[in-house]
Amino acid sequence: VQLQASGGGLVQPGGSLTLSCVGSGFNLDEYAIGWFRQAPGQEPEGVSCITRSDSNTIYADFVKGRFTISRDNAKNTVYLRMNSLSPEDTGIYYCAAEINYCPTLDIYNYRGQGTLVTVSS
């Protein structure tokens, strides 16, 4: 059982990236999936979540209108599309899965390794 985040990289301010969270050994559509990030020297924080049953989406205020979370069940993947990126979005992004509700920093069933996003000119 594994979660793997990918898609990070270096992007200029105002640019876009799409992160992927791929599950292996279990079906992501049976879990709520959350994205989190940790900026250098900062505590980790929740970014977005997509629920299990009805795929409702939840966003932190600081990404509303810029980020979009979505599922592709056929690919067992959850995406995070990030637009209008700023240097403040720099950090390690990782995904987590929880069987019932949106995962939190401390409550999850599975958590993947992160992918680094760097927003810089």
Side-chain angles (χ1 to χ4, degrees):
V1 174
Q2 189 176 9
L3 272 177
Q4 181 63 53
S6 64
L10 174 64
V11 63
Q12 291 188 340
S16 299
L17 278 177
T18 298
L19 306 183
S20 300
C21 174
V22 180
S24 59
F26 69 110
N27 293 325
L28 259 60
D29 61 0
E30 297 176 359
Y31 290 77
I33 305 297
W35 281 97
F36 302 84
R37 71 184 187 186
Q38 185 167 19
Q42 304 288 326
E43 293 293 316
E45 56 188 356
V47 175
S48 183
C49 175
I50 187 164
T51 60
R52 179 187 68 178
S53 58
D54 50 9
S55 290
N56 280 337
T57 56
I58 301 167
Y59 299 95
D61 287 343
F62 52 81
V63 303
K64 279 182 181 177
R66 300 189 299 127
F67 290 12
T68 303
I69 190 170
S70 62
R71 291 183 181 272
D72 186 337
N73 293 334
K75 295 183 178 180
N76 211 32
T77 301
V78 170
Y79 300 100
L80 185 69
R81 174 65 177 179
M82 306 186 297
N83 297 326
S84 302
L85 286 163
S86 70
E88 290 72 31
D89 295 314
T90 294
I92 296 174
Y93 286 70
Y94 61 94
C95 54
E98 210 285 327
I99 189 70
N100 290 313
Y101 306 108
C102 284
T104 69
L105 293 174
D106 301 314
I107 300 174
Y108 52 86
N109 295 110
Y110 308 110
R111 199 187 96 170
Q113 297 295 319
T115 185
L116 177 62
V117 173
T118 304
V119 185
S120 175
S121 55

